[in-house]
Amino acid sequence: MSRRISPVIPGFGLTLGYTLVYLSLLVLIPLGAMFVHAAQLSWDQIWNIVSAPRVVAALKLSFSTALCAAVLNGVIGTLLAWVLVRYTFPGRRLIDAMIDLPFALPTAVAGIALTALYAPAGLVGQFATALGFKIAYTPLGITLALTFVTLPFVVRTIQPVLADIPREVEEAAACLGAKPFQIFRHVLVPALLPAWLTGFALAFARGVGEYGSVIFIAGNMPMKTEILPLLIMVKLDQYDYHGATTIGVLMLVVSFILLLLINLLQRRIERP
Amino acid sequence: MTTTTLSASAAANAARRGSAAGRIALITGAWLTFALFLLLPLYVVLSEALKLGFGTFFTALVEPDAISALKLTLLAVGISVPLNLVFGVAAAWCVSKYEFRGKSILVTLIDLPFSVSPVIAGLIYVLLFGAQGFFGEWLQERDIQIIFALPGIVLATVFVTVPFVARELIPLMQEQGTQEEEAARLLGANGWQMFWHVTLPNIKWGLIYGVVLCAARAMGEFGAVSVVSGHIRGYTNTLPLHVEILYNEYNHVAAFSVASLLLALALVILLLKQWSEARLSRLKSAGDEE
């Protein structure tokens, strides 16, 4: 290994060694064990597990609701970040501090609170009932729960970038005759896009794996409102370790491919 | 285009004036989003908890199962946070003070648990230490219980909170560089003296910030702990799991009462976070002025 050790600062071997041992024991070896377990299955067995209609339905549901929630957050998060950075108004500091609530609040608490809120007789749900549709116990409810738990990601990644864009840039564009939408499209979007994508990817990855906040509001009906993490749980309860492991590996592989694609997209944008 | 007839500054003023209406609309939008998405859930937790008055609210909190769940949660937080604190400092130290090949891979690996579903975090330990797992038989012969017991809960909690402290410290320590440590060494400080008297005071607020985030997640972790706990009431039930059990038993008032305790803890965490963040940014701006 070629390395440049700062000649006077001690602790390189100790800290790197400790970091590697700790990570290996707690994260890498256990995760590897899951792949080893799945590798013991034949391709036929694996295909039978992942092509089961119930698994396919859960896969579609998990990834589509996580995607919708990430997109929704992309809009709401940008709005919140914009308002918090650019304007001073009553309650700004309160909102800024409370944005992180979904990270601080245990997901189970978020889950039961949102269920109570969006259930057919709930505070918000009753309006949906009056209009003839349901929020809780449908994919819409799952999307809302995921939007709640991943709300801080986009806001917190965009905020510092937005604060660094000098207002003069927009004013210069306005002086040169750009309309507000043109300023948005040609000045702000290119500057914000990399950070936006990071927030989007974080929200999406978290949304796919999220469990606690979703299981209460989902209703958990097989084929309709059953998410992938719950399906792993169901398989485990039935002592179906092969099934649970295969779905786990599938979930990780699909997530990593999507995160890799987002990462590549980001690099292309940053270095045109 | 009208720009030919308008002077440049007039165009800028027009843009500002035009945005005044937009500004009010956007601020209103932000307030509505905030109220609808963040305040309403809080209100629901409290109103459901206090539906039958303060008596039933407190009964749910002092019930023996709730107390033992609280103790277990505090114990799991008390073990996993210090572990990840030491790891976070060590990881941030080697990443920020030295150059070596494979550093960016190491940083990616540190962040890895963030993109793994908590349910998978629980599953991998069941595959290793469960009755059917790789070490299952070996553990059974020695009568060691990891899954459905405290060690499993701690392992799952540690896994999901691995990155928090390291993530906060790495950018902070990279920014601070190595000059002060080098000076301390040249003045004759040994490794520990340098760390305690130079590095630690510099990273104190970032460290507190990371620990606060780590503790928040450890306290509320649900999916991972749910897989490994076995839900044995009074023994392996953490507070979030206790909320789930009460809720599924249609004991909604008790569920929301315990939930409001967790909510109160979450608000304390937000306050601590705000405070350490403020100290951190004050420190940074002081550094910039130097």
Side-chain angles (χ1 to χ4, degrees):
Chain A
M1 211 154 57
S2 76
R3 61 189 186 216
R4 189 172 60 81
I5 296 184
S6 177
V8 287
I9 296 184
F12 177 73
L14 178 72
T15 53
L16 183 65
Y18 184 75
T19 304
L20 288 177
V21 169
Y22 189 90
L23 266 186
S24 305
L25 286 180
L26 281 160
V27 179
L28 303 178
I29 294 175
L31 273 179
M34 182 172 74
F35 282 86
V36 170
H37 190 104
Q40 290 165 353
L41 304 173
S42 71
W43 284 110
D44 276 350
Q45 279 175 301
I46 291 178
W47 180 248
N48 280 337
I49 294 169
V50 299
S51 65
R54 195 171 165 188
V55 176
V56 174
L59 185 80
K60 280 185 192 159
L61 180 71
S62 272
F63 281 91
S64 61
T65 49
L67 190 70
C68 288
V71 170
L72 197 58
N73 262 329
V75 179
I76 298 175
T78 311
L79 167 77
L80 284 172
W82 175 266
V83 171
L84 288 175
V85 170
R86 286 303 168 90
Y87 306 136
T88 40
F89 58 96
R92 191 183 73 91
R93 286 194 55 185
L94 175 73
I95 296 182
D96 195 24
M98 290 284 281
I99 291 285
D100 286 317
L101 178 75
F103 285 170
L105 193 68
T107 50
V109 176
I112 63 170
L114 294 174
T115 312
L117 203 54
Y118 293 116
L123 214 52
V124 175
Q126 58 185 336
F127 297 108
T129 314
L131 294 171
F133 68 101
K134 270 168 68 172
I135 301 176
Y137 318 123
T138 69
L140 181 61
I142 300 176
T143 308
L144 280 177
L146 290 179
T147 310
F148 176 82
V149 291
T150 56
L151 185 72
F153 283 116
V154 174
V155 183
R156 291 301 186 222
T157 43
I158 286 192
Q159 240 177 345
V161 183
L162 198 55
D164 278 348
I165 303 176
R167 294 193 78 151
E168 286 78 18
V169 178
E170 287 153 65
E171 278 167 13
C175 291
L176 294 169
K179 296 192 172 62
F181 180 75
Q182 285 175 314
I183 298 177
F184 180 73
R185 166 75 188 76
H186 294 287
V187 177
L188 292 172
V189 169
L192 288 178
L193 202 55
W196 192 88
L197 276 173
T198 304
F200 179 88
L202 287 169
F204 177 73
R206 171 77 195 266
V208 170
E210 178 56 28
Y211 176 77
S213 59
V214 177
I215 53 159
F216 297 100
I217 204 168
N220 306 328
M221 288 205 311
M223 304 298 295
K224 285 194 184 124
T225 56
E226 188 178 54
I227 53 165
L228 268 182
L230 179 72
L231 199 53
I232 294 180
M233 213 71 160
V234 170
K235 301 259 179 200
L236 268 178
D237 281 341
Q238 298 164 346
Y239 299 102
D240 178 4
Y241 290 103
H242 292 330
T245 310
T246 310
I247 298 173
V249 169
L250 174 75
M251 230 172 116
L252 277 189
V253 170
V254 177
S255 298
F256 284 147
I257 291 174
L258 287 170
L259 289 181
L260 196 71
L261 286 177
I262 294 175
N263 211 306
L264 287 177
L265 186 67
Q266 217 169 8
R267 282 186 191 190
R268 273 191 74 147
I269 294 167
E270 275 176 345
R271 273 177 256 141
Chain B
M1 287 297 258
T2 49
T3 36
T4 45
T5 53
L6 277 175
S7 78
S9 72
N13 282 337
R16 282 202 202 110
R17 234 179 295 124
S19 70
R23 173 199 162 110
I24 291 169
L26 286 176
I27 292 175
T28 315
W31 257 106
L32 281 177
T33 316
F34 169 66
L36 203 66
F37 266 100
L38 295 171
L39 285 186
L40 261 187
L42 297 194
Y43 166 76
V44 165
V45 171
L46 293 177
S47 71
E48 293 283 318
L50 296 172
K51 215 183 209 168
L52 302 177
F54 280 97
T56 35
F57 174 76
F58 285 117
T59 317
L61 292 185
V62 297
E63 190 212 354
D65 284 342
I67 299 279
S68 70
L70 175 65
K71 279 185 190 159
L72 182 63
T73 298
L74 292 178
L75 189 60
V77 172
I79 299 172
S80 50
V81 172
L83 283 176
N84 281 333
L85 167 69
V86 174
F87 166 75
V89 173
W93 184 267
C94 70
V95 166
S96 62
K97 302 290 180 197
Y98 312 100
E99 287 302 325
F100 54 94
R101 201 183 287 170
K103 191 155 105 172
S104 63
I105 299 176
L106 183 64
V107 174
T108 312
L109 287 179
I110 293 171
D111 274 343
L112 185 65
F114 273 158
S115 39
V116 173
S117 170
V119 173
I120 294 180
L123 169 70
I124 56 179
Y125 290 114
V126 172
L127 290 178
L128 281 180
F129 304 119
Q132 316 285 321
F134 287 102
F135 301 113
E137 235 169 87
W138 190 88
L139 289 168
Q140 237 160 11
E141 280 165 13
R142 281 153 190 79
D143 209 23
I144 304 172
Q145 182 105 19
I146 291 186
I147 300 303
F148 304 148
L150 178 68
I153 294 175
V154 171
L155 278 174
T157 309
V158 168
F159 182 98
V160 293
T161 54
V162 159
F164 281 102
V165 176
R167 236 185 125 90
E168 289 311 320
L169 287 185
I170 289 172
L172 180 66
M173 285 168 75
Q174 263 168 348
E175 208 174 297
Q176 287 174 349
T178 56
Q179 282 183 357
E180 290 187 33
E181 278 87 2
E182 279 165 359
R185 287 289 282 169
L186 292 176
L187 291 170
N190 67 30
W192 282 112
Q193 285 174 326
M194 173 199 70
F195 179 75
W196 283 109
H197 297 293
V198 177
T199 311
L200 204 57
N202 274 341
I203 60 170
K204 189 169 67 181
W205 295 107
L207 197 65
I208 292 174
Y209 185 57
V211 165
V212 167
L213 295 178
C214 185
R217 183 68 196 270
M219 167 191 95
E221 182 46 36
F222 181 76
V225 172
S226 182
V227 176
V228 295
S229 106
H231 303 92
I232 308 163
R233 255 193 165 172
Y235 293 99
T236 62
N237 239 2
T238 62
L239 273 184
L241 296 179
H242 189 58
V243 170
E244 184 199 20
I245 290 187
L246 291 171
Y247 188 84
N248 287 343
E249 284 171 347
Y250 296 102
N251 194 348
H252 284 192
V253 172
F256 279 102
S257 301
V258 178
S260 60
L261 176 65
L262 286 167
L263 171 64
L265 288 173
L267 291 177
V268 170
I269 280 167
L270 280 186
L271 275 178
L272 285 175
K273 199 195 82 80
Q274 198 68 10
W275 171 69
S276 57
E277 209 175 29
R279 296 298 294 255
L280 196 62
S281 66
R282 206 185 305 167
L283 209 70
K284 268 185 194 157
S285 58
D288 288 344
E289 278 160 23
E290 270 171 24

